[in-house]
Amino acid sequence: TWGFPGITDFVGLMAALERKLGAAAGLQFNGVGVVCHRFEAQTHRGYTHSFHLSRNPVRKDGSTAGIVEEGRIHLDISLVFDVSLSSQVADDAARQQLAQTVADLLATMRIAGGSVIAPHSPRSRRALQPQLRLEAEDPKQQADEFAKLSRRLLPGFALVARDDLLQDHQRTLSQGQSVPATALDAWLDLSRINTRAVRVPVAPLAGAADDKPAATERIEWQRDVRPGWLAPIPVGYAALSALHPAGSVVQARDATTPLRFVESVFSIGQWISPHRLRHAAQLIWWPTYDEATGLYRCRNACAPETFKGSTSALAAEPPPAPPLDTVSA
């Protein structure tokens, strides 16, 4: 899943941003959406792909220090936060000032370990001025306002959840098999490029010699067709232990917060142009927690009812949360 930060990085950024603003700002963050406009992976492509690595300081004797290879990427992104406002932020001037405060504070933070750099050109700076908009109560007006926002986010691709594809593909792989496919089988199959040998019928040639048998089929290599730009993504964490009281775990980084050991949880995401979404809930990711299963899960309400080629009919309302539609690793 290397290549783009996990959605948990952006949810963590949202939580850190809310803490830095403080309760006095009158802003509560509910979710975050991510749109990528440009990416530049720090790799070199020769006989094999290799990372562009940083140079560590040499040791006292002049020898090279050990290094852990780490993938890095340069990104041009837009963030869309779903927030709730207090009554103290009433007029347009106060909302614009609060939006600028959020942007200024965000510029001092890090996203997935990377530095935040403001747009360079004057044109892009004008186009990317922070805004804080109120959502209308009328559904039609909401759709019109989101259409304007989605056009403002072009050109780019939004990261949305496609848990439905993972479940459907698992059922497809299990058809006709004595041992049903697991969620991991479906996840791996969707995460790679598969090329299969397919028998194709061949029509007999006119005028062929009668003493030679005519070929009735040939073998062609065909690549599996995917319904869009799919990607394996981390979407949260699954608990491996009980919740330990604060300070009870030796050498924990934070002695004032309860601690729990977890493992990463993966699912399938899709990059889709923002103008194909119908409302903000299909763009936004929000964090959830299931106490019964110990699942810390980021969810997104983009669940296409049909998805064929370049057109899709998207659900008008967020779907109910499916049971366990992820892969732990």
Side-chain angles (χ1 to χ4, degrees), residues 52-309:
H52 291 175
L53 302 175
S54 59
R55 173 69 176 181
N56 288 356
V58 297
R59 296 176 177 174
K60 294 181 179 180
D61 58 358
S63 61
T64 303
I67 183 173
V68 177
E69 292 192 5
E70 182 181 19
R72 296 177 296 127
I73 191 170
H74 294 167
L75 297 171
D76 184 1
I77 63 174
S78 293
L79 298 178
V80 180
F81 294 103
D82 176 27
V83 299
S84 300
L85 291 175
S86 65
S87 57
Q88 66 189 43
V89 189
D91 59 338
D92 293 339
R95 286 195 294 270
Q96 183 57 37
Q97 179 60 40
L98 182 55
Q100 189 61 51
T101 301
V102 172
D104 294 341
L105 184 58
L106 189 63
T108 66
M109 302 174 64
R110 284 181 169 268
I111 300 179
S115 301
V116 179
I117 302 175
H120 298 293
S121 66
R123 181 180 179 278
S124 62
R125 219 175 358 250
R126 286 195 301 270
L128 298 178
Q129 285 295 324
Q131 293 185 3
L132 182 56
R133 300 182 178 183
L134 295 179
E135 188 177 43
E137 296 183 0
D138 180 53
K140 185 179 184 305
Q141 191 174 354
Q142 288 182 10
D144 294 341
E145 291 176 353
F146 181 72
K148 295 178 182 178
L149 174 63
S150 62
R151 288 195 295 268
R152 189 167 177 256
L153 296 172
L154 296 176
F157 290 89
L159 183 61
V160 299
R162 291 308 305 272
D163 305 329
D164 57 320
L165 284 181
L166 183 60
Q167 298 170 359
D168 293 343
H169 199 61
Q170 181 180 356
R171 287 190 288 267
T172 301
L173 293 179
S174 299
Q175 290 178 357
Q177 302 295 326
S178 57
V179 179
T182 64
L184 179 59
D185 295 329
W187 184 78
L188 291 173
D189 195 69
L190 284 174
S191 302
R192 62 183 176 232
I193 299 175
N194 295 323
T195 305
R196 308 178 190 276
V198 179
R199 298 179 184 271
V200 180
V202 177
L205 296 177
D210 296 336
D211 56 340
K212 294 183 179 179
T216 59
E217 63 181 16
R218 70 172 184 270
I219 302 299
E220 286 188 358
W221 290 94
Q222 297 181 0
R223 180 176 295 180
D224 288 356
V225 178
R226 301 299 188 205
W229 184 0
L230 304 182
I233 58 171
V235 292
Y237 306 94
L240 291 176
S241 70
L243 192 63
H244 301 287
S248 61
V249 179
V250 179
Q251 297 183 351
R253 190 164 50 178
D254 185 355
T256 61
T257 304
L259 184 143
R260 167 175 275 174
F261 294 96
V262 297
E263 62 181 354
S264 294
V265 172
F266 297 88
S267 188
I268 292 293
Q270 181 177 1
W271 292 102
I272 185 172
S273 182
H275 78 279
R276 297 177 62 188
L277 304 177
R278 297 295 178 264
H279 55 79
Q282 295 175 332
L283 174 65
I284 300 298
W285 293 78
W286 69 93
T288 63
Y289 169 59
D290 188 346
E291 185 176 1
T293 60
L295 184 64
Y296 300 82
R297 174 74 154 86
C298 298
R299 296 198 177 275
N300 169 259
C302 183
E305 296 172 344
T306 59
F307 203 102
K308 298 179 180 179

Side-chain angles (χ1 to χ4, degrees), residues 22-65:
L27 200 61
Q28 177 184 341
F29 288 77
N30 304 319
V32 58
V34 184
V35 179
C36 181
H37 307 284
R38 186 184 64 87
F39 65 93
E40 182 184 345
Q42 299 301 287
T43 60
H44 171 73
R45 185 169 186 175
Y47 181 72
T48 60
H49 271 79
S50 59
F51 291 149
H52 291 175
L53 302 175
S54 59
R55 173 69 176 181
N56 288 356
V58 297
R59 296 176 177 174
K60 294 181 179 180
D61 58 358
S63 61
T64 303

